[in-house]
Amino acid sequence: MPHGDRGRRVHLDTAGLGRMPAAARAQLTEWTRHEDRHGPYEVDEHVHHVVRPELDARLAALLGAPAGDTVLTTGAADAFAALVPRLPLGPGDRIWTTPYEGVANLTVLTALRDRARCRLDVVPLRPDGDLDLEWMAAHIDDDVALVSVVHVPAGCGIVTPVEDIGRILAPHRCLYAVDASYAVGQLPVHAGRIGCQLLTGDAWRFLRGPESVGFAYAAPELRQALAPNGTGSLVPPEAASVVALNAALAVHEDAVPVGGLAAVLRAAVEETPGAELIAPGRVQSGIVTFRHAEMPAGPLRRALAARGVIVGKTVAQETPLYSPGRGVTATVRVSVHHDNSAWDAARFAEALREALAGRGHHAVPTAVRAAAAPAAVAASGGAVVAGPRAVSAGSVAEAGAAGDVPAVRVPRPRRTAGRRHLALVSAPAPDGTA
């Protein structure tokens, strides 16, 4: 690579915080200053009369949802926490979630289970890490009142087949919630084809909007279910941030994802001695997570940053039903966007080799070791379809056969201090019994 390019910083942490386009950053700065000088009323009027009609249309097109069925809030987790607890569930109902559920939503679901005195079951995984759709089809009935699925988890790049799940659930009375925080902006997300009644997302990741802005699509069935109890306190985002999100979506409409870069990043990790991909399932997104046998995730992330390559880090508590049971405590997370280039991927590979020079003599513990076949770029949305993997760690179904998933200590949702304990969540046994 050209010698002069070595000083350029490479941003590979879009899953943590996307780089705002210049137009969005300029709008955020301008309207924040305007509010500071003239007060909030002029900004609110501008948002109401000018920005929101454009933004609502753009969100509807982006999410495949009817115009007017989306609401803005301060984040996907905040929307989920405001809406889901008010669902009228009772002792005869069941909630389904998955081992990939994020900690914020899982905390809400356990609280709803405790209040409603209903059951919270975890859909088992196949040996390759994919959700067991055959189990779902065999065990779905009208006792299942809510199914909560994450499209792409925070802690690994697997793509959940949310549309296939929607087809399984469609004939039944359950409400279907999809967390698209790490999917929207990098993969096609279409609420109509998914068949969900609630779809939540964040603006500051792959959509590259400002922080503390999120949105939720609420279908008529969900609004009807919530009508007796109301929708709770949906806190609106700052007006200047709404303007900036509108500007970011205007640019995003012309964006073309570069899905092949994720395959290049995975290859770089697989070629690194002592490194191990955390890549369950057959379909992968633009998120690549891995750990190294001799260098913890935190120091490795800092070593890459010192070489001008910005990546993220995940911890087991972000996906407490999946990572801890597989011996994964922390991983390096690399995520690409359409504004990344082949040069960025090559620079990552070089920086990784430099950061780990002299290391790699020990293998990663076999708790998460998987034999991965070569990956190819899928035709849809830049996702990567990988060959079958034999995961040595037991599936959630196997864990459920021995008893409940162990209680784990998890942090509270984003922007909230403190910690709380996650109550026991019973995982279904392979035969469907609790």
Side-chain angles (χ1 to χ4, degrees):
M1 64 186 65
H3 178 74
D5 284 342
R6 290 179 62 87
R8 181 166 71 85
R9 294 177 72 82
V10 175
H11 184 81
L12 293 173
D13 189 26
T14 304
L17 182 65
R19 292 183 298 181
M20 266 196 293
R25 190 181 305 110
Q27 290 288 294
L28 180 63
T29 301
E30 176 185 348
W31 287 100
T32 299
R33 288 176 176 170
H34 191 95
E35 182 173 349
D36 182 59
R37 293 174 182 173
H38 305 288
Y41 298 110
E42 289 188 21
V43 184
D44 289 341
E45 287 185 357
H46 176 70
V47 168
H48 180 72
H49 293 291
V50 178
V51 177
R52 281 306 298 267
E54 294 180 356
L55 180 56
D56 289 346
R58 284 178 173 139
L59 278 176
L62 176 73
L63 303 177
D69 283 354
T70 56
V71 294
L72 295 179
T73 182
T74 48
D78 296 335
F80 192 88
L83 298 174
V84 171
R86 294 179 174 265
L87 291 173
L89 273 60
D93 293 321
R94 286 189 291 158
I95 303 170
W96 281 2
T97 188
T98 80
Y100 299 116
E101 190 81 348
V103 61
N105 288 5
L106 191 57
T107 302
V108 171
L109 293 176
T110 55
L112 174 59
R113 178 205 62 184
D114 293 344
R115 176 190 63 77
R117 300 182 181 276
C118 60
R119 285 180 51 180
L120 175 55
D121 295 331
V122 179
V123 175
L125 299 180
R126 295 174 5 145
D128 60 9
D130 281 337
L131 290 177
D132 192 338
L133 301 190
E134 293 182 359
W135 184 94
M136 295 183 76
H139 292 86
I140 183 66
D141 57 35
D142 284 340
D143 289 340
V144 179
L146 173 65
V147 176
S148 180
V149 172
V150 57
H151 196 168
V152 176
C156 62
I158 187 173
V159 179
T160 303
V162 289
E163 294 184 13
D164 293 339
I165 294 172
R167 285 189 282 271
I168 293 172
L169 303 179
H172 302 275
R173 65 107 169 178
C174 65
L175 295 171
Y176 181 25
V178 172
D179 179 1
S181 299
Y182 293 86
V184 65
Q186 69 150 328
L187 298 173
V189 174
H190 195 289
R193 290 197 294 266
I194 294 172
C196 59
Q197 287 72 50
L198 174 63
L199 188 144
T200 55
D202 294 323
W204 62 84
R205 305 187 197 278
F206 292 93
L207 292 177
R208 302 194 300 161
E211 288 191 270
S212 299
V213 181
F215 45 84
Y217 157 69
E221 301 95 322
L222 177 67
R223 298 198 301 269
Q224 182 180 0
L226 291 171
N229 298 324
T231 59
S233 178
L234 277 171
V235 179
E238 297 289 337
S241 297
V242 176
V243 181
L245 173 58
N246 188 47
L249 290 187
V251 176
H252 177 77
E253 290 176 346
D254 298 325
V256 178
V258 186
L261 288 182
V264 175
L265 296 175
R266 286 187 181 85
V269 172
E270 290 178 318
E271 293 167 2
T272 301
E276 181 72 12
L277 281 172
I278 311 299
R282 292 169 293 176
V283 181
Q284 296 290 313
S285 66
I287 296 175
V288 179
T289 58
F290 68 97
R291 64 174 181 168
H292 193 269
E294 298 181 32
M295 196 172 199
L300 181 51
R301 183 192 65 80
R302 292 191 292 271
L304 291 171
R307 291 163 174 79
V309 178
I310 308 304
V311 299
K313 186 185 85 168
T314 69
V315 294
Q317 290 88 347
E318 292 184 63
T319 50
L321 296 184
Y322 178 76
S323 298
R326 285 150 180 81
V328 179
T329 56
T331 65
V332 176
R333 182 176 66 194
V334 188
S335 48
V336 295
H337 192 263
H338 75 272
D339 62 346
N340 288 120
S341 66
W343 186 93
D344 294 339
R347 183 70 191 103
F348 164 77
E350 181 182 48
L352 185 63
R353 288 194 299 269
E354 294 172 355
L356 295 171
R359 300 176 185 265
H361 302 295
H362 298 89
V364 172
T366 57
V368 295
R369 182 169 295 279
V377 179
S380 174
V384 175
V385 182
R389 289 180 173 85
V391 181
S392 59
S395 68
V396 171
E398 293 168 341
D404 287 342
V405 175
V408 295
R409 188 172 176 83
V410 297
R412 292 170 65 90
R414 178 181 173 86
R415 295 185 300 278
T416 305
R419 288 180 167 292
R420 71 170 59 164
H421 284 281
L422 179 66
L424 294 177
V425 180
S426 62
D431 62 358
T433 60

